[in-house]
Amino acid sequence: MATIAIYSLKGGVGKSTLAANLAWCAATRSSRRTLLWDLDPQAASSWMLGEDGGGERAHAVFSRDVPPSRLIRVTTIERLDLLPADASLRDLNHLFRTVAKKRRLARLLNDLGDHERVILDCPPGLTETADQVARAADLIVVPVVPSALSERAWGEVDRHLGGRTHTLPVHVMVDRRRALHLEALARHPDWPVVPMASVVESAATARRCVGEVAPRSLAAGAFDELWKRIEKRLV
Ligand SMILES: Nc1ncnc2c1ncn2[C@@H]1O[C@H](COP(=O)(O)OP(=O)(O)O)[C@@H](O)[C@H]1O
Ligand SMILES: [Mg+2]
């Protein structure tokens, strides 16, 4: 089993979008038994994968030793399961601090057993949750919108987490008509690129993955390429 976390200091940078689409790639393109574990109380990727929300149970895995397997749902996508988030995860940092076990999340992941790939959709911020994720993940994928401020945030993440775990920065929401975006791409020619594309948003609105609704689009190709890079980094 390999765990891939989608993480950033920042909100609104495309973490949940990456998490759902990469989980789709793992299950569909690589035929892996895959779990998307949503750790963000906003539950965006849970919603995209068909979870309607309103529950208050997700915290029980951390606060009451309810086995994660009890909360896992199948999705409409073959080989892709979901451990959904809900608003009860708003206190996740507090929960991790009160159990005072630095590898709590890593343990829970070890006990899952049945999945070959686990994708973690993480809440933003350099928090206790981020530290738990860094101890648990084999690879941390960090979406970076091309801008000086986002690059600084990436540097901060790499300093804080990079020493402990492998990280893979990815340029996302890239608009090649913008000079600043092209300059950022030139500074990091080795980073994978996901374009800004309306199909990404329209797929999310329809609660589908881009590979399902527009498999020939540039964006679908970018998610496929990124997933291949991730698989290569795991071996
Ligand atoms: N490559 C992209 N092209 C266009 N819109 C995108 C892209 N990636 C994400 N978005 C949109 O940006 C918004 C924030 O994305 P989201 O994945 O929810 O970010 P986060 O999880 O980091 O808060 C959403 O409306 C999403 O549809
Ligand atoms: Mg999100």
Side-chain angles (χ1 to χ4, degrees):
M1 184 191 95
T3 301
I4 302 107
I6 317 299
Y7 169 78
S8 167
L9 255 179
K10 295 161 85 77
V13 293
K15 293 183 298 299
S16 299
T17 304
L18 274 183
N21 284 284
L22 292 174
W24 183 90
C25 289
T28 304
R29 297 284 185 239
S30 298
S31 301
R32 302 277 193 192
R33 274 174 289 119
T34 303
L35 175 70
L36 191 152
W37 188 343
D38 190 353
L39 293 169
D40 188 344
Q42 291 185 46
S45 53
S46 300
W47 184 82
M48 279 172 65
L49 293 185
E51 183 69 26
D52 284 325
E56 286 273 342
R57 300 179 61 200
H59 73 101
V61 169
F62 305 98
S63 62
R64 290 202 256 109
D65 287 328
V66 169
S69 55
R70 288 252 299 271
L71 302 186
I72 289 176
R73 323 277 169 90
V74 297
T75 70
T76 56
I77 297 155
E78 203 178 342
R79 291 179 294 273
L80 178 55
D81 293 340
L82 172 69
L83 184 40
D86 58 42
S88 71
L89 292 182
R90 62 186 166 267
D91 292 328
L92 188 55
N93 290 317
H94 179 68
L95 286 173
F96 277 134
R97 279 196 302 271
T98 46
V99 295
K101 289 187 181 123
K102 286 184 178 296
R103 299 185 54 81
R104 182 72 196 276
L105 183 63
R107 288 272 149 66
L108 287 168
L109 282 158
N110 272 341
D111 295 344
L112 275 176
D114 213 26
H115 297 89
E116 296 165 279
R117 297 288 177 262
V118 179
I119 313 282
L120 300 176
D121 185 8
C122 302
L126 280 176
T127 58
E128 180 62 31
T129 301
D131 288 336
Q132 291 274 344
V133 165
R135 288 180 206 112
D138 298 288
L139 180 67
I140 304 186
V141 175
V142 184
V144 180
V145 180
S147 79
L149 283 178
S150 301
E151 266 186 54
R152 287 198 55 189
W154 151 248
E156 189 75 15
V157 169
D158 198 37
R159 264 193 303 285
H160 192 77
L161 306 179
R164 282 178 277 163
T165 322
H166 299 298
T167 52
L168 176 63
V170 179
H171 268 140
V172 296
M173 301 198 207
V174 170
D175 180 350
R176 290 179 187 274
R177 293 166 304 183
R178 293 169 69 169
L180 282 176
H181 283 208
L182 292 178
E183 285 167 25
L185 262 54
R187 279 197 297 278
H188 303 286
D190 51 324
W191 292 9
V193 173
V194 175
M196 171 78 92
S198 55
V199 69
V200 175
E201 276 183 301
S202 58
T205 307
R207 305 175 79 175
R208 306 281 295 278
C209 292
V210 179
E212 295 176 280
V213 298
R216 291 172 195 283
S217 62
L218 272 179
F223 289 129
D224 286 349
E225 280 305 309
L226 173 56
W227 177 250
K228 279 190 215 155
R229 284 271 292 264
I230 292 170
E231 279 279 343
K232 275 200 194 131
R233 287 281 297 264
L234 295 175
V235 292

